[in-house]
Amino acid sequence: MHLASFVTAMRWIAIAATTLVQSVVVSLLVTSRGELAGVIAALGIALQAFLLAGYHHLAVRATYRIAELAKDLAVADMDPVTGLAVRRVAERHLFDAAGTDVTVALIDVDGMHDINNAHTHSGGDLYLAAVAERLVHAAEPGDLVARLGGDEFVVVTPRDPHALAWSLAAAVTPPVTIDGITRPMRVSIGICHTPGGDPHTALGRADRAMYTAKRRGSGIEHYDPVRDGEPLSHGVRPAVRGRDRRARHTADNA
């Protein structure tokens, strides 16, 4: 039996025991057996005190356990490298935005492989944390900033897409210093304004605009359905995956 269920059972046992004792005492008093009624009442009070003490102990344990589970859930929803929310939080946020329009920016770090080679993965993590810090700085109250995984991030906001683009461009312009070496912060960003409620479509459109920015080397591109096309249906595997396009882009520039 789960702790919460056991606490509930203890509560109902205490209520039932109290009701039973009260009924017995009343019955004995009606039949003029006052002494026995007093003894039963005293035993009932002792039993009630015991049950209430046990219920209180279990309730405290249950509260502590709930707090632990809430803490575990918060950790599971947070990326350990950047401190940002993880992908499922972003998808849930987009799903909950059904009925409203949102602006989604998908940010992909350029040259992450070179950074890892130059600074090891520890340095790469510092670089990703610096990107996350810049994105948080560009965000406003009510915006969501999350790490989708690897070197991809997302910002979800009700703001105008051009206002968001300006904020992101300003945030990623200053260079970042890793291991005493100053490097430019190189990212490709795709932005789309889209109805909430469908994380796959929202992220897919921003992703397509991001790859246009990466291909052109333009830094930021706004989603254009004619130029970028619509994302594939959920569950359909693309002929060329994003990681394949990224590897090909890296190879072409080597």
Side-chain angles (χ1 to χ4, degrees):
M1 182 183 295
H2 294 295
L3 183 58
S5 301
F6 193 63
V7 170
T8 302
M10 284 288 293
R11 178 173 177 270
W12 283 109
I13 290 172
I15 293 173
T18 300
T19 303
L20 178 61
V21 169
Q22 289 175 343
S23 299
V24 172
V25 169
V26 170
S27 178
L28 290 173
L29 288 174
V30 170
T31 57
S32 301
R33 301 163 70 182
E35 292 184 1
L36 183 57
V39 173
I40 297 298
L43 291 175
I45 292 172
L47 175 62
Q48 186 180 41
F50 173 77
L51 291 173
L52 287 176
Y55 170 73
H56 176 72
H57 175 70
L58 290 174
V60 170
R61 286 184 58 194
T63 302
Y64 179 74
R65 181 58 180 155
I66 290 171
E68 282 188 326
L69 291 174
K71 186 184 297 184
D72 291 342
L73 181 61
V75 171
D77 284 344
M78 183 182 70
D79 174 57
V81 173
T82 63
L84 299 179
V86 296
R87 184 185 190 98
R88 62 175 167 272
V89 176
E91 291 178 341
R92 188 164 61 238
H93 185 83
L94 286 166
F95 182 80
D96 291 342
T100 63
D101 286 348
V102 293
T103 298
V104 179
L106 197 146
I107 302 95
D108 186 88
V109 177
D110 295 328
M112 195 67 216
H113 180 72
D114 295 335
I115 293 170
N116 285 331
N117 284 342
H119 301 283
T120 74
H121 284 283
S122 295
D125 286 348
L126 292 175
Y127 189 89
L128 292 174
V131 173
E133 183 179 1
R134 301 288 183 84
L135 298 180
V136 171
H137 181 73
E140 293 185 352
D143 294 352
L144 174 73
V145 184
R147 183 185 180 191
L148 298 181
D151 51 7
E152 287 188 339
F153 300 83
V154 68
V155 177
V156 183
T157 177
R159 284 188 283 164
D160 174 80
H162 296 284
L164 177 61
W166 186 90
S167 296
L168 292 175
V172 301
T173 296
V176 59
T177 301
I178 302 294
D179 296 334
I181 300 174
T182 301
R183 289 181 170 275
M185 185 166 284
R186 296 173 50 232
V187 296
S188 295
I189 302 174
I191 298 177
C192 72
H193 191 65
T194 184
D198 184 356
H200 173 75
T201 298
L203 293 174
R205 288 174 176 174
D207 180 73
R208 285 181 172 263
M210 181 274 293
Y211 273 107
T212 297
K214 188 177 290 289
R215 184 177 66 252
R216 292 181 170 182
S218 53
I220 298 178
E221 290 287 345
H222 292 268
Y223 174 70
D224 181 344
V226 176
R227 179 195 64 196
D228 302 323
E230 284 288 343
L232 295 174
S233 300
H234 190 58
V236 176
R237 185 181 178 87
V240 179
R241 298 170 299 173
R243 70 182 64 176
D244 298 329
R245 285 181 288 180
R246 187 180 309 173
R248 183 180 302 171
H249 178 82
T250 302
D252 291 342
N253 292 329

